[in-house]
Amino acid sequence: AQSVTQPDIHITVSEGASLELRCNYSYGATPYLFWYVQSPGQGLQLLLKYFSGDTLVQGIKGFEAEFKRSQSSFNLRKPSVHWSDAAEYFCAVANDMRFGAGTRLTVKP
Amino acid sequence: EAQVTQNPRYLITVTGKKLTVTCSQNMNHEYMSWYRQDPGLGLRQIYYSMNVEVTDKGDVPEGYKVSRKEKRNFPLILESPSPNQTSLYFCASSSLGGGNEQFFGPGTRLTVL
C-alpha cells in the first residue's frame, strides 16, 4: 500500500544544534515530495518540495532535504536550529495527497 | 493577498445539529480539498474537488458532504455531527498538475458535544 511514514513523533534538540527529521515513502514510481511546517495555531506552510533533478533541495528558513531513492527517504535537515523552529513538521506525497503523521519539534534553550 | 479563508475558526456544537464550514480561495485554483487533523494521525483527506461540480471522496469521507458550485468556494457540511468528528479541519487549494503546492487555510477547530 502507498504510504508516508515519519518514524519520530517527537524530537527535542537544543538551540543551535543540527536537526534531521526522517520521512520514508512507499510508492511505485518517484513521488512528488513535500515538507510542510505547522506553527502552533497556524495552518501549514510549504518548506520545500522535490519533483526531479538535483536530489538535494533547498527551502525556506534555512531548511534542506535530500531525496534518496535507494532508501525511499526524503529527510529534512537544518544545520542550526532556532527557537522559532519549534513546530510540527509534515512530510507529504503529492501523487495522492497523503501526509505523514507529523513530527513535533521542541527546541531547548 | 493570495489566501485560503475558512469560517468559523472555532465552533462548539452538539450532536446532530447540522453545520457548515465555509472555505474560499482567491487564487483561481481548480483543485480544492478538505482535511482533518488528529493527534498521531497527521492530515487525512476527507473530500477533494478537481473543478466546479466535480468532487470525490478522500480517505475519510463518512459523515461529511461537500459541494463545488463555484470555483472559489468549497464548503464542508456535517449533516448530523457526532463526537468522533471533533477535530481540526483544514481547507486547501492548488492549481492542477502533478505535484503543485497546496495552500492551506488557517484551520477550523470543531468540538461536537
Side-chain angles (χ1 to χ4, degrees), chain A residues 61-89:
Chain A
K61 305 186 181 191
F63 284 92
E64 66 178 27
E66 186 171 12
F67 172 68
K68 292 186 177 180
R69 184 189 305 275
S70 61
Q71 298 177 18
S72 297
S73 69
F74 187 56
N75 294 349
L76 182 71
R77 302 195 294 248
K78 187 169 184 177
S80 177
V81 170
H82 187 262
W83 64 266
S84 61
D85 293 325
E88 187 144 23
Y89 292 80

Side-chain angles (χ1 to χ4, degrees), chain B residues 18-90:
Chain B
K18 180 180 178 179
L19 66 91
T20 299
V21 184
T22 65
C23 172
S24 183
Q25 51 93 5
N26 62 2
M27 294 168 278
N28 202 35
H29 286 160
E30 298 88 0
Y31 184 94
M32 297 185 74
S33 61
W34 276 102
Y35 296 87
R36 60 178 291 173
Q37 182 182 11
D38 302 290
L41 297 177
L43 278 78
R44 294 178 292 168
Q45 195 175 52
I46 302 170
Y47 270 95
Y48 64 94
S49 169
M50 304 282 273
N51 215 325
V52 175
E53 302 293 359
V54 180
T55 63
D56 212 341
K57 297 177 181 179
D59 291 329
V60 288
E62 294 77 21
Y64 304 95
K65 284 175 56 177
V66 292
S67 69
R68 187 92 182 271
K69 292 183 169 50
E70 304 166 284
K71 195 172 188 179
R72 63 184 294 125
N73 296 323
F74 191 46
L76 179 69
I77 303 154
L78 284 71
E79 295 269 5
S80 183
S82 62
N84 64 12
Q85 293 178 297
T86 293
S87 188
L88 179 59
Y89 291 87
F90 288 100

